[in-house]
Amino acid sequence: MMDDLTQLPGVGPSIAEKLKEAGYTDFMKIATASIGELTEIDGISEKAAAKIIEAARELCNLGFKKASEVLEQRKNVWWLSTGSKNLDSILGGGLESQSVTEFAGAFGSGKTQIAHQACVNLQCPERIVAEDKVKEDILDNPKAVYIDTEGTFRPERIIQMAEAIGLDGKKVLENILVARAFNTDMQILYAENVEKLIQEGENIRLVVIDSLTSHFRNEYVGRGMLAERQQKLGRHMATLNKLADLYNCVILVTNQVSSRPDAIFGPSEQAIGGNIVGHAATFRIFLKKAKGDKRIAKLYDSPHLPDAEATFRITDKGVHD
Ligand code: ADP
Ligand code: MG
């Protein structure tokens, strides 16, 4: 995907080169950039950035799409199994591409296990549902990116889950790119860099952020910082949605919960991040520990699926019914 950027107003060969160096290799990337992002490039003023973005949007036909075109893009949607048919079923077939799916729950509820299992399942063709042509693209050496903010990624667990379904554990590990993020800035940067990996030719099909909110919660403490936190989190979510949309990826984020001790009505726990995360995630699932290895997953707030519950298990074999 390389476009002739000099077709854009005010973009000569040298600005075009700078744009490309900064990762803006085609019209679509420019069309979905913000003015602030483009002005970070030397020689592009705010006014020029606005013009460039507008022209790129026209060239990509961005703005309104015909419903038939939306349907065309939706044809490329595919589903990655969670490992549990029950859970896949309430999600409408599994973890859906072109969307962000959020798993929220208390410590030990199984969020990290689900994230590990998704990385393993990406290497298992039987656990991917897509039209033939789409599936062929996905199966072309697919890779997962795992952005680990809590230091809980465990390659040993990946091997264990992989071998439980007859995969070569070591091979699966080769196809998971792990990054440990120690603060929100690193987390955001890693997410933004996924696009670079894709441009370099990696077939990234799954992006995990485990956990989406832990650093945000720790770094932005107190009421005075809430607005700033939410703004930054909102931009991060926009990056993730953009990845999902442009590259037909599955995006899986985990989220902690905080208690609502004052709750009289409604749940006594809620996901961190409020509306910002709520609006940016297409699928939201609440996980709860039940008896033994059982877990209860509750889908809520989905724009096109009814609220529903499913039971699954987490054992040494991984996530399954
Ligand atoms: P969190 O929601 O905090 O991310 P985890 O996904 O880490 O929670 O879930 C941890 C739980 O998963 C453990 O308490 C245990 O029940 C289960 N679990 C983790 N690893 C294994 C394993 N190898 N065998 C069986 N159960 C496991
Ligand atoms: Mg965890």
Side-chain angles (χ1 to χ4, degrees):
M1 279 201 288
M2 277 271 200
D3 288 323
D4 177 12
L5 302 186
T6 58
Q7 284 180 37
L8 297 166
V11 177
S14 106
I15 297 267
E17 203 43 53
K18 282 183 196 161
L19 280 165
K20 284 193 173 152
E21 272 168 24
Y24 298 102
T25 47
D26 55 73
F27 296 141
M28 183 58 92
K29 302 237 173 55
I30 294 169
T32 52
S34 68
I35 292 176
E37 283 168 344
L38 283 200
T39 52
E40 276 171 30
I41 293 163
D42 250 4
I44 299 185
S45 67
E46 239 173 73
K47 220 169 158 186
K51 271 196 183 149
I52 291 170
I53 291 168
E54 193 185 283
R57 285 182 181 173
E58 267 169 37
L59 283 164
C60 304
N61 256 325
L62 263 190
F64 287 100
K65 270 188 213 161
K66 282 194 206 124
S68 58
E69 287 165 348
V70 177
L71 185 66
E72 203 50 45
Q73 194 189 350
R74 292 279 307 165
K75 273 194 187 147
N76 294 328
V77 167
W78 58 282
W79 291 266
L80 176 63
S81 173
T82 58
S84 155
K85 293 217 167 73
N86 295 342
L87 181 50
D88 289 349
S89 152
I90 63 166
L91 286 168
L95 303 167
E96 191 172 302
S97 75
Q98 297 179 24
S99 297
V100 173
T101 303
E102 175 206 32
F103 286 92
F107 177 74
S109 60
K111 306 179 294 289
T112 295
Q113 298 302 307
I114 287 193
H116 279 60
Q117 186 74 58
C119 292
V120 171
N121 290 352
L122 185 66
Q123 302 305 323
C124 180
E126 297 82 51
R127 294 184 169 210
I128 289 166
V129 175
E131 274 194 3
D132 289 349
K133 225 180 84 221
V134 178
K135 192 159 175 176
E136 212 172 285
D137 287 342
I138 297 162
L139 291 180
D140 181 20
N141 199 12
K143 297 223 160 100
V145 164
Y146 199 111
I147 300 175
D148 179 12
T149 75
E150 294 179 325
T152 50
F153 178 80
R154 291 287 175 278
E156 301 83 357
R157 182 61 169 144
I158 294 285
I159 293 177
Q160 190 183 31
M161 286 174 166
E163 289 176 351
I165 57 169
L167 297 175
D168 177 343
K170 292 239 170 69
K171 243 189 218 157
V172 173
L173 290 183
E174 293 300 313
N175 293 312
I176 305 172
L177 307 170
V178 186
R180 175 86 162 94
F182 292 98
N183 53 48
T184 52
D185 287 328
M186 284 177 83
Q187 180 180 334
I188 286 167
L189 202 62
Y190 280 130
E192 286 173 357
N193 280 348
V194 171
E195 195 160 15
K196 244 180 238 151
L197 291 174
I198 295 171
Q199 281 159 14
E200 284 162 15
E202 298 279 17
N203 188 18
I204 310 284
R205 292 298 180 163
L206 167 66
V207 178
V208 170
I209 318 268
D210 181 24
S211 119
L212 177 71
T213 48
S214 57
H215 287 317
F216 281 95
R217 194 184 193 184
N218 293 334
E219 280 171 40
Y220 296 88
V221 183
R223 287 231 160 254
M225 294 183 88
L226 193 63
E228 198 184 329
R229 179 184 97 176
Q230 291 304 81
Q231 198 181 25
K232 203 167 168 187
L233 189 54
R235 281 208 305 273
H236 186 42
M237 295 305 288
T239 302
L240 297 176
N241 266 306
K242 195 161 127 186
L243 280 175
D245 222 45
L246 286 184
Y247 303 106
N248 202 12
C249 294
V250 168
I251 313 279
L252 190 168
V253 304
T254 69
N255 199 351
Q256 297 163 311
V257 292
S258 64
S259 60
R260 298 172 60 214
D262 53 338
I264 299 170
F265 301 107
S268 58
E269 288 175 320
Q270 65 187 356
I272 309 284
N275 286 338
I276 296 284
V277 176
H279 290 149
T282 317
F283 299 94
R284 312 192 76 189
I285 296 110
F286 222 96
L287 295 179
K288 245 191 148 110
K289 228 176 150 156
K291 220 175 156 197
D293 53 21
K294 281 218 174 85
R295 297 291 190 284
I296 297 163
K298 209 172 181 163
L299 177 79
Y300 68 105
D301 276 357
S302 162
H304 65 288
L305 291 172
D307 286 10
E309 253 184 48
T311 313
F312 65 98
R313 291 165 61 203
I314 300 173
T315 68
D316 53 344
K317 294 188 173 61
V319 174
H320 54 93
D321 281 335

